[in-house]
DNA sequence: ATCGTTGCCGGGAACGATTGCGTAAATAAA
DNA sequence: TTTATTTACGCAATCGTTCCCGGCAACGAT
């Protein structure tokens, strides 16, 4: 079945006018007499005419749609960010096409290829955990595609970026753990190639160093798929628990890792925060209801989406190539609850 | 900045061929000699040619993209469903354009208008809570637009639908509450115009009736925005608690209502499940970590999204107009934990 | 009476691709 | 040699719009 649309030709034929005249009348051109305009407008209204956006896209060489690439839609952080992106896009007449990579480099590549060849006007990307080769992204940017990174950025690609102050988030959380009396603080991390992982780890290390605590390599466990596969988290936590001097607290460096760690600790019968302190990045709005109420570092996901879309709009609307790029660094929110406070 | 693309014309000019020949060579037509094909293919590869999908869309009158309309992206149920939709769409070469209504009829209308006029090939819709006039949707369907409803459907519109067995979900949950010893069971509901609300309420009533319990109208409180505004939930719960014979358990009929109710009960210092039993629909994957572990009715959201997209594909791929429509009714999953079980 | 203006509108190319039809050359059949 | 057939390609229309040109009245000015 096809959705039959009425075209400008139908109007022209019905009214005995040329398509040019109808087009001009609809666009309220000064070259058309008021009577003709009225005639056309009324008839167009009557038969429910809407200009074919595809024809327009072809003519204007832009589609008024943008692509968003994330690893997983069903993740609080990303869905909140997409919410923000969609809101701003909606207000500016842009459609949002989403696609997910599931942390796979291959899918990222395919999606990127697909979206750019489908003529999106711009892209908002949070790179996949698996991706190590960014030449493709670099390439499409150099060919003139407006791109903004959010959350997981690529440091050596020059374009607008929107991130949270990951260093500070991890630093503050670690310091909080230290102030709570924890000393042997482990970090369960996402893929180490990710910018966010590196920044957060830097904050973690800095906080430890400040306190004069030597870094214990065994306390750092990475989950390449960032909690997407729970088995990885399980291995990480078990590894930690099997050490001769176990850590007394865990800093989890991403959404799914935080709740994943808690899940596993509970399964193993450990008491949080007594046996093991826990704090982590999370954007779930249920963390306060959890047992124990989770201390978290929260990212302003909605706002990040909004800022990202606004940055993209700036690129889209600029006449000459943009050469000055900025990275918006938003403040994370440290919310101390029970899971990180020793009774 | 514009993304400069290479066209078939560039190839034709460079190779001294006509565009038709190039087009045919690229499509591997039998009319083209192997040598010419090889020439064209190699050159196309070299200059990184990709057919312009917009031009194709114009010609073929289809865009290979579908629209998804939900009330809110950042909602576990919907984001999981979108995940499913996107997966199937991806495998079939379709792009997914999402837009949210935030439960507003006006935004639903605008989005619908926008998406159809932007030539999506089909739509997957979960109607907004506010919407009472479905003539517009009816209209676009009658004009030939393939549409499938999911979750919140419109009973008197004939097209493919994907729902969960809401009646059974609510029925089983209510019966479970009864079996746990609760007698005065309240229902906190979403907008009453919603199909899901009606079905779930029917299940609730049937379970009560089966037990010979008369329905108490004061025990039914509706939140027109389904938990999107917490104040509504607050009013509902407070109303319940202010009654002379308070209910002893609450059945919450949607995602945000379930956690919303718990939040408010906790705020008021009530003990769940001792002072008040609680069970509700929810798709959060954190409910087991909550204090108390929440009993929930869970919808197979991912699967619903997949089934919805597959149904839409069936409509999209059928040559003649489809007249036989089916509604897939998937089984909800009742997960009993602590919040609904009296100690 | 002629020349510019102005107002109003139509013809047709263009955006990038596909495709039905026509046709020249080469080959096969008569 | 003539005719038929095949091979391999080009022309031009098409999808729905926009927009550059150009044209034709009518009108005022000279």
């Amino acid at each position: 079945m096809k959705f039959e649309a009425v075209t400008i030709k139908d109007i022209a034929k019905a009214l005995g006018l040329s398509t040019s005249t109808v087009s001009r009348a609809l666009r309220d051109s000064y070259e058309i007499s008021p009577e003709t305009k009225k005639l056309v407008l009324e008839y167009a209204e009557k038969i429910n005419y809407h200009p074919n956006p595809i024809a327009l896209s072809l003519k204007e060489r832009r589609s008024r749609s943008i692509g968003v690439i994330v690893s997983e839609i069903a993740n609080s952080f990303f869905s909140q960010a997409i919410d923000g992106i969609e809101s701003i896009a909606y207000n500016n007449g842009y459609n949002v096409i989403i696609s997910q990579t599931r942390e796979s480099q291959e899918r990222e590549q395919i999606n990127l290829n697909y979206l750019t060849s489908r003529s999106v006007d711009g892209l908002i990307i949070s790179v996949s955990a698996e991706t190590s080769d960014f030449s493709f992204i670099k390439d499409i940017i150099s060919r003139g595609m407006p791109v903004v990174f959010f959350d997981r950025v690529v440091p050596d690609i020059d374009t607008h970026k929107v991130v949270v102050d990951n260093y500070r988030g991890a630093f503050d959380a670690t310091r909080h753990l230290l102030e709570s009396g924890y000393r042997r603080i482990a970090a369960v991390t996402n893929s180490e190639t990710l910018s966010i992982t590196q920044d957060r780890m830097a904050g973690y290390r800095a906080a430890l160093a400040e306190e004069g605590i030597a870094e214990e390599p065994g306390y750092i466990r990475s989950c390449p798929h960032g909690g997407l596969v729970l088995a990885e988290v399980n291995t990480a936590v078990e590894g930690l628990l099997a050490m001769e001097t176990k850590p007394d607290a865990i800093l989890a460096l991403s959404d799914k890792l935080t709740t994943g760690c808690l899940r596993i600790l509970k399964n193993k019968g450990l008491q949080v925060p007594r046996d093991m302190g826990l704090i982590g990045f999370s954007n779930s709005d249920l963390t306060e209801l959890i047992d124990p109420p989770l201390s978290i570092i929260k990212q302003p996901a909605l706002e990040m989406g909004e800022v990202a879309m606004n940055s993209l709009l700036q690129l889209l609307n600029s006449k000459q190539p943009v050469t000055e790029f900025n990275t918006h660094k938003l403040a994370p929110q440290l919310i101390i609850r029970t899971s990180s406070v020793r009774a």
Side-chain angles (χ1 to χ4, degrees), chain A:
Chain A
M1 270 301 302
K2 222 169 288 168
F3 187 70
E4 287 305 334
V6 22
T7 78
I8 225 170
K9 261 185 212 166
D10 301 326
I11 302 181
K13 204 173 297 169
L15 263 39
L17 294 169
S18 75
T19 57
S20 349
T21 305
V22 174
S23 171
R24 270 184 273 251
L26 291 169
R27 317 213 121 234
D28 200 27
S29 158
Y30 68 97
E31 294 188 277
I32 305 297
S33 73
E35 305 87 58
T36 309
K37 274 185 195 168
K38 188 156 169 281
L39 196 68
V40 171
L41 259 351
E42 277 174 2
Y43 187 71
E45 168 81 9
K46 185 179 144 216
I47 63 172
N48 195 27
Y49 167 81
H50 287 284
N52 181 328
I54 292 189
L56 274 175
S57 294
L58 181 58
K59 192 118 239 286
E60 298 178 355
R61 299 163 173 210
R62 63 169 193 181
S63 61
R64 286 210 160 272
S65 64
I66 61 124
V68 175
I69 299 184
V70 297
S71 58
E72 193 197 8
I73 298 165
N75 167 302
S76 325
F77 173 73
F78 288 124
S79 64
Q80 287 164 23
I82 294 174
D83 186 341
I85 292 172
E86 200 273 341
S87 301
I88 303 294
Y90 173 82
N91 289 334
N92 288 273
Y94 277 89
N95 270 134
V96 177
I97 299 177
I98 45 167
S99 59
Q100 39 189 357
T101 64
R102 301 190 185 283
E103 307 293 12
S104 141
Q105 162 146 12
E106 188 200 348
R107 286 195 55 151
E108 180 170 283
Q109 184 104 355
I110 294 176
N111 277 320
L112 229 34
N113 223 316
Y114 199 58
L115 284 179
T116 57
S117 89
R118 282 191 82 80
S119 313
V120 293
D121 295 343
L123 286 167
I124 297 180
I125 306 177
S126 176
V127 300
S128 150
E130 225 182 75
T131 309
S132 52
D133 176 15
F134 301 109
S135 58
F136 190 74
I137 303 185
K138 231 175 235 168
D139 192 47
I140 63 171
I141 293 181
S142 72
R143 293 203 336 265
M145 173 68 71
V147 169
V148 357
F149 288 115
F150 83 106
D151 189 43
R152 302 150 165 211
V153 304
V154 183
D156 58 321
I157 292 187
D158 213 24
T159 187
H160 288 334
K161 294 164 192 168
V162 181
V163 292
V164 90
D165 191 337
N166 287 298
Y167 175 92
R168 174 144 296 279
F171 182 89
D172 290 351
T174 309
R175 203 171 55 184
H176 158 70
L177 247 19
L178 291 166
E179 285 166 357
S180 285
Y182 296 103
R183 292 273 113 187
R184 300 187 304 282
I185 301 175
V188 176
T189 83
N190 214 318
S191 164
E192 287 170 343
T193 59
L194 250 26
S195 61
I196 49 172
T197 304
Q198 291 167 10
D199 295 345
R200 292 172 187 179
M201 282 307 289
Y204 160 80
R205 291 197 168 97
L208 289 184
E210 211 183 64
E211 204 71 3
I213 297 181
E215 184 184 323
E216 161 62 57
Y219 283 177
I220 298 171
R221 305 275 168 164
S222 83
C223 303
H225 292 87
L228 253 190
V229 298
L230 194 63
E232 280 182 5
V233 190
N234 200 37
T235 309
V237 174
E238 279 180 350
L240 253 19
L241 295 179
M243 295 181 67
E244 38 200 323
T245 55
K246 291 194 252 285
D248 54 9
I250 295 179
L251 170 68
L253 292 193
S254 85
D255 216 301
K256 298 231 158 172
L257 292 178
T258 307
T259 51
C261 282
L262 178 62
R263 218 178 284 267
I264 289 160
L265 291 174
K266 281 183 136 182
N267 280 349
K268 301 208 173 299
L270 294 192
Q271 278 286 112
V272 176
R274 199 196 56 199
D275 304 334
M276 184 74 79
L278 179 63
I279 190 170
F281 283 78
S282 175
N283 264 74
S284 166
D285 48 356
L286 259 40
T287 42
E288 58 165 318
L289 295 177
I290 285 181
D291 173 43
L294 268 183
S295 296
I296 58 169
I297 306 114
K298 186 170 199 167
Q299 305 191 62
L302 187 89
E303 191 188 347
M304 287 174 74
E306 293 172 344
V307 173
M309 186 62 210
N310 277 324
S311 301
L312 185 57
L313 283 171
Q314 192 243 309
L315 294 182
L316 292 170
N317 295 332
S318 115
K319 297 299 172 194
Q320 56 269 61
V322 178
T323 53
E324 287 287 301
F325 297 105
N326 44 52
T327 109
H328 290 264
K329 191 177 279 190
L330 309 191
Q333 198 185 349
L334 185 66
I335 303 179
I336 306 300
R337 289 196 277 245
T338 313
S339 70
S340 61
V341 180
R342 270 186 158 146

